[in-house]
Amino acid sequence: MGVGTWKFRSKTHCLAGLFLIVLATAAIYNILAGNNREFDVPLEQAAAQQIDQEESVLDEHDHINSTTASVCDIFKGKWVFDDVSFPMYKEHECSFMIGDYACDKYGRKDLKYQQWRWQPRDCDLPRFNGSAFLEKIRGKKLVMVGDSLNRNLYISMLCLIESSLSSSDNKSVIRHGNYFIFNATEYNASIGFYWSPFLVESNNDDPFIHRLRNRIVRIKSIENHGKHWADADILIFDSFIWWLEPTMTILWGSFGSNDAIYTTVDARQETRYRLYEMGLNTWADWLEFNVNTTKTKIFFMSLSPLHKLGENWGEEKNCYNTTEPISKEDYWGIMSDRRMMRVAESAIEKLESRGVHIQYLNITHMSDYRKDGHPSIYRQFSHSISDEQLKDPTSYSDCAHWCLPGVPDIWNQLLYAYIMNS
């Protein structure tokens, strides 16, 4: 698995500190190796075990992302207010902007959320250069695959490169079913987004009509989606939030088939992790046998943090009316499920052992501080807001997606660093 380190203007590290890190992480590894269990724990034990496992996963992240004197971990750092060089574009000047992320347009008055820069601890991130990026992907096909968080990333990328497009470029996105495509004609390059929230097939695969109460997932089927990505030069995947429903129906067979078997399961606690693992295994198997890994660069985005609850269980305050990042050191939100992250990391590690390299972009911890960056009530909603909800803005605040300009621009800076360095 790509370990999330970056050789760029690296600063000097203390060798003694590194030695201590190596000793500590070796001990953690031994502890974890002795506690590698299948997902078969009784539900009544799940809550207590999850706390212990999440602490172990956090330590394992420290092991995976440990740095040396010549390598910088770009995912460890802090948010720095920078009203000189940020934002990197203006919301109203981006012709690709959509109402889901246009917080300024829909009434948000505080715009500081646009002016926070991610500063890695031991190096500097290169600024996103649209012209250089388009030149790098000349003649290539880039596809982002996943849910609306990857679409958030997609719109951000188009906004970031727009100022570098020639006036002859048709600045529009064309839709073919689940596939949204922008063609940079001067560079013979395409940048696409493919809607597939589970990666595998489901009854939620319509990009616009997917607010279905009963989610049905063909957990062993991905071919109908995958055939649209197989020839991509750069693939960027995400999948997390759609696996959080308390109940889910698993389909064995085809939709509409007389011999199909539907199994509805309680998708909380242990079952959720097992279902997520099964879905990612289907995705991994498809990648191994259908993607030319000598040609295609593959990325996987870790979970985008939700801020639908306060900092403590039982606290009702969500992202509404939040205007500053969380300043608490080493903060982890209670909805950032590190065990779900570990399931994804395990699937990627298995692919690595089979010769398929995936660069894992661990955006979760860094984004968790940015509770201020969500649209809250300042966005275009596809459903009507009731009078009762209007009386309580927290009841309908969007604390999952991100305003643009904002946090996804930084995710694209990370992608830019890896792609430009390849």
Side-chain angles (χ1 to χ4, degrees), residues 60-104:
E60 187 165 347
H61 282 311
D62 291 338
H63 169 64
I64 291 172
N65 290 328
S66 60
T67 59
T68 68
S70 61
V71 178
C72 168
D73 182 350
I74 60 176
F75 302 104
K76 289 185 177 179
K78 63 181 179 180
W79 292 95
V80 176
F81 185 71
D82 182 352
D83 59 356
V84 176
S85 56
F86 279 74
M88 291 185 278
Y89 58 88
K90 295 182 179 179
E91 177 192 301
H92 67 276
E93 293 179 354
C94 178
S95 59
F96 299 102
M97 187 63 66
I98 61 176
D100 304 56
Y101 319 128
C103 303
D104 185 6

Side-chain angles (χ1 to χ4, degrees), residues 117-403:
R117 169 173 55 85
W118 179 249
Q119 178 60 59
R121 184 181 302 165
D122 300 300
C123 60
D124 297 313
L125 279 179
R127 186 175 175 84
F128 194 103
N129 183 313
S131 297
F133 184 76
L134 288 170
E135 190 60 50
K136 184 70 174 181
I137 66 169
R138 180 182 289 275
K140 299 185 185 300
K141 176 180 178 180
L142 181 154
V143 185
M144 298 181 183
V145 181
D147 57 27
S148 55
L149 277 310
N150 246 14
R151 191 180 188 192
N152 217 163
L153 181 72
Y154 177 63
I155 298 300
S156 163
M157 178 175 283
L158 296 184
C159 291
L160 284 166
I161 69 170
E162 180 170 22
S163 63
S164 300
L165 298 171
S166 69
S167 57
S168 62
D169 269 309
N170 179 18
K171 298 178 183 179
S172 61
V173 173
I174 301 170
R175 179 192 173 193
H176 297 289
N178 292 35
Y179 195 17
F180 299 80
I181 310 167
F182 167 72
N183 292 303
T185 53
E186 183 179 340
Y187 296 86
N188 188 31
S190 69
I191 302 173
F193 166 71
Y194 188 94
W195 171 263
S196 181
F198 292 100
L199 300 182
V200 294
E201 297 164 27
S202 75
N203 67 336
N204 298 273
D205 287 342
D206 187 292
F208 298 109
I209 307 172
H210 49 249
R211 297 179 64 85
L212 307 176
R213 297 184 65 182
N214 180 26
R215 294 181 177 176
I216 303 174
V217 180
R218 293 185 70 199
I219 208 158
K220 291 292 185 180
S221 301
I222 197 172
E223 291 79 8
N224 287 338
H225 292 325
K227 62 186 179 183
H228 298 281
W229 331 320
D231 61 341
D233 299 280
I234 302 171
L235 281 168
I236 304 159
F237 293 97
D238 90 310
S239 184
F240 163 66
I241 194 171
W242 283 71
W243 297 91
L244 301 184
E245 285 294 296
T247 60
M248 195 175 296
T249 298
I250 306 304
L251 169 59
W252 310 99
S254 303
F255 286 104
S257 173
N258 292 331
D259 58 356
I261 300 174
Y262 293 82
T263 304
T264 300
V265 297
D266 183 336
R268 292 170 292 189
Q269 300 296 346
E270 298 302 314
T271 304
R272 172 178 297 165
Y273 304 117
R274 179 58 181 154
L275 292 175
Y276 189 44
E277 180 186 41
M278 291 172 67
L280 289 180
N281 284 343
T282 299
W283 163 78
D285 289 343
W286 187 90
L287 279 180
E288 181 180 7
F289 295 105
N290 292 276
V291 171
N292 181 356
T293 55
T294 61
K295 164 198 169 188
T296 303
K297 296 178 180 63
I298 308 172
F299 297 86
F300 191 94
M301 309 293 293
S302 72
L303 66 91
S304 175
L306 305 171
H307 293 104
K308 294 184 177 181
L309 298 172
E311 294 186 34
N312 302 296
W313 288 112
E315 184 180 350
E316 295 182 359
K317 187 178 186 298
N318 60 17
C319 71
Y320 174 68
N321 208 28
T322 303
T323 59
E324 297 283 339
I326 293 170
S327 59
K328 182 179 178 181
E329 188 175 352
D330 201 32
Y331 172 77
W332 275 92
I334 57 177
M335 296 196 73
S336 291
D337 192 331
R338 282 172 274 173
R339 189 170 170 197
M340 286 284 275
M341 292 174 68
R342 182 59 196 142
V343 173
E345 291 163 3
S346 178
I348 293 169
E349 288 165 358
K350 290 175 184 176
L351 269 175
E352 290 279 349
S353 69
R354 290 147 63 180
V356 181
H357 177 65
I358 310 285
Q359 182 60 60
Y360 179 70
L361 296 188
N362 190 353
I363 60 165
T364 309
H365 198 193
M366 62 181 289
S367 305
D368 226 345
Y369 295 99
R370 294 301 311 280
K371 191 175 181 178
D372 61 306
H374 299 288
S376 180
I377 63 173
Y378 303 109
R379 55 158 292 181
Q380 182 182 42
F381 288 93
S382 59
H383 56 283
S384 60
I385 308 299
S386 68
D387 291 338
E388 185 177 351
Q389 285 178 309
L390 288 172
K391 295 176 183 177
D392 178 14
T394 61
S395 66
Y396 68 98
S397 288
D398 178 354
C399 298
H401 303 99
W402 303 91
C403 298

